[in-house]
Amino acid sequence: MLRTIDLRGRALSNDELLATVPRAAAARDEALVTAARIVGDVAAGGEAALRAQASRFDGVDGHEIRVPQDHLDEALAALDASVRAALEESIRRVRVASAAQIPPTRVTELGSGARVEQRWRPVRRVGVYVPGGKAVYPSSVVMNVVPAQVAGVTEVALASPPQRAFGGRVHPVILAAARLLDVTEVYAMGGAGAIGAYAHGVPSLGLHRVDVISGPGNNFVALAKRVVAGMVGTDSEAGATEILIVADDSADADWVAADLVSQAEHDEQAAAVLVTDSAGLAASVAARVAIRAARTLHAVRVGAALAGPQSAIVLVDDIAGATAFSNAYAPEHLELHIADPHLDDFVNAGAVFVGPHSPVSLGDYLAGSNHVLPTGGQARYAAGLSASTFLRPQQVIAYDRRGLQEVRDAIVSLAAAEVLPAHGEAVLARFED
């Protein structure tokens, strides 16, 4: 089910490792073209385009795209008590962890009467996307809305696909989670079309353009963000999920297999990768994966993900080789099942789960960390969702006459060197008396 990539006995450069990592590149290339077309349709057609997309992709017609308040109230009233308690605890933990992500205001005194302050200002309006196709993700409501609220965002809109099984409504558990967080602006719209609606606005729905779009989704959602980047801010491209596990012969093969299967159940495009220096562990994990994949609820979906080009077992000579491979891959989720993990060596990962009792499932729900993370190798340069996603650093410069006088001549010299004399004259004008 899982193919094997054998890198033993090969000294590969980082570029060569990048060429060997398992990726479903063709699927992403095709998704970019489709996402651009869908976003363009919404920009041109507004509500009519969203309705046509709902009919085509979700099998829903004539639904209320803007969710009435009573739908939210009804969903919360009907929410299972145990699910509500779990969501409330997740909210508490994410709120505490997000508060620690707010940078403090810093004031730098560069001289007498020369002061620069750096402060962090929240964006005004955020559009959150919550998937709702193959699974239901109330946890993603928490992971997106809580950091935005902690950052000080005053307007949070939420979109999730209409569900045919619920008469075109957003899934009631997602609605209940939104209601728990006092989000009242909710839209039944999905996929790349929702991203286009956030970027362009839909006047007939009272949907105004947002400043930042956040939230996970499939490759179409992730690449729609690339299409609208520049018009609005976006978080990282959190597309089809990835797990990379680095393990040695001390690892529990069944636990490793369980974690690979757990991520594969998200989507047929999900990536599940094991990197190990133990051929024995690789064989054991492959056997356990086959057993677990066959008996899980979403066996067909899991089987497709595990058999895809994005999933593999990778054999390396040693843990140093596994570390190099992991850093080249830059996984969304990295699990370390090794006896002596050198955490600082693993520099590229959206989130790192250390030890056998820190599975990705913990991070998905109740670790307190955020589960909206960069995929497709973007962890080399992009961060996961946090309160800082919704903040902008802003510099405040306050010099008095004495402070400006100290740098007056230097400014004039640099202005002359750049042949911009009016820059220097603007400073000299303040000292003409």
Side-chain angles (χ1 to χ4, degrees), residues 345-425:
D345 294 340
F346 293 91
V347 295
N348 295 337
V352 184
F353 298 79
V354 183
H357 294 97
S358 302
V360 168
S361 297
L362 171 66
D364 282 343
Y365 300 114
L366 281 162
S369 58
N370 204 291
H371 78 199
V372 183
L373 301 164
T375 61
Q378 290 191 93
R380 289 184 296 116
Y381 54 83
L385 191 71
S386 70
S388 61
T389 303
F390 308 106
L391 294 169
R392 299 154 294 153
Q394 184 183 75
Q395 297 181 79
V396 180
I397 298 91
Y399 273 52
D400 64 14
R401 180 182 175 85
R402 180 178 175 183
L404 181 61
Q405 186 173 22
E406 287 186 359
V407 294
R408 175 187 61 189
D409 293 343
I411 293 171
V412 171
S413 294
L414 287 172
E418 295 186 350
V419 196
L420 297 170
H423 282 61
E425 291 162 5

